[in-house]
Amino acid sequence: MSELHPPTTTVLAPEPRSNWSRRDFIKGVIASGVTVSGVSYFGAGLTPRLSAQIGGVERLLSLAVNGQTRRVDVLPGETLAMTLRYKLGLTGTKLGCDRGECGACTVLLDGVTNYSCSTLTHRVRGREITTVEGLEGEDGTLHPVQQAFIDELGPQCGFCTPGQVMSAVALLRRNPNPTRAEARTAMSGNLCRCGAYEHYLNGVMRAAQEA
Ligand code: FES
Ligand code: FES
């Protein structure tokens, strides 16, 4: 009888225990290695044939995320938001509308704002991806935009905040001294169901002054 060998490229996710929360499960997957399979999220228990019918075959990609190289198995039609949140554990990126309308999923690609819900992960190979988790300093110091948003009481429920932060960071990198009108235009792709727009604008202007 031939000896069985474990797979060489995919680290299987741990079995979810009944008392685990979904967040615990995701953390467990992240802790299991830098290469993770999405099968647990996109079709646990599916046969390879059925999985292929639904989403095609995963391919191993190397992505540049927050200054690190992350290796991850990605389905052909998988969006960057799904990869970031459910395979790489970067849940700071939020999913709101999931169709390019609200801005909650905003990340930076080579410093430019991008809706990650409307971007295929396969299309961002070789690009520098920055999420909200990549903004704070090594000592945990918040980015000036994050601190300014807190100081100006920007977040209400906070769901839109990561996307708002990413848009503000991109703006101030290309225009460190925007007018309020310029800031309003730059932030117009980020909706806030709590209506905290003026607070976020105050935060952008404060961050620009304090930079
Ligand atoms: S979740 Fe991407 S734009 Fe709304
Ligand atoms: S703070 Fe609640 S959606 Fe913006």
Side-chain angles (χ1 to χ4, degrees):
M1 184 188 257
S2 64
E3 201 177 331
L4 292 175
H5 297 281
T8 54
T9 57
T10 300
V11 178
L12 294 178
E15 285 289 318
R17 297 199 303 259
S18 59
N19 60 340
W20 276 25
S21 69
R22 187 162 172 275
R23 187 178 294 271
D24 289 335
F25 179 56
I26 292 170
K27 285 180 179 172
V29 170
I30 302 311
S32 70
V34 286
T35 300
V36 294
S37 169
V39 170
S40 303
Y41 307 106
F42 292 94
L46 296 179
T47 64
R49 186 175 170 191
L50 187 53
S51 179
Q53 287 175 343
I54 293 174
V57 178
E58 288 183 327
R59 286 185 57 197
L60 181 62
L61 299 186
S62 292
L63 301 176
V65 185
N66 297 333
Q68 294 183 324
T69 300
R70 303 291 301 269
R71 288 162 64 77
V72 59
D73 291 321
V74 176
L75 291 164
E78 187 174 319
T79 65
L80 180 58
M82 298 297 279
T83 306
L84 292 171
R85 286 183 55 81
Y86 301 118
K87 294 186 177 175
L88 299 180
L90 297 170
T91 54
T93 299
K94 302 304 181 202
L95 264 175
C97 64
D98 201 16
R99 58 182 187 185
E101 292 181 354
C102 73
C105 64
T106 302
V107 300
L108 305 187
L109 293 181
D110 296 331
V112 178
T113 52
N114 199 278
Y115 288 165
S116 60
C117 75
S118 305
T119 303
L120 293 179
T121 306
H122 278 273
R123 303 294 296 270
V124 300
R125 280 179 291 180
R127 312 279 299 274
E128 178 58 45
I129 304 159
T130 307
T131 71
V132 72
E133 291 91 344
L135 295 180
E136 69 178 21
E138 289 183 2
D139 61 353
T141 307
L142 293 177
H143 188 282
V145 167
Q146 293 172 306
Q147 187 59 55
F149 278 12
I150 292 171
D151 295 340
E152 293 293 342
L153 303 178
Q156 303 301 306
C157 77
F159 189 82
C160 72
T161 305
Q164 304 272 7
V165 167
M166 301 313 293
S167 291
V169 167
L171 165 67
L172 295 180
R173 283 182 182 170
R174 69 175 185 273
N175 180 5
N177 291 298
T179 65
R180 194 172 180 90
E182 289 171 334
R184 192 185 300 278
T185 299
M187 304 292 286
S188 62
N190 294 83
L191 302 184
C192 174
R193 62 189 171 189
C194 299
Y197 295 106
E198 294 306 315
H199 291 268
Y200 284 122
L201 275 177
N202 291 343
V204 175
M205 302 313 289
R206 178 191 280 254
Q209 286 170 2
E210 295 181 351

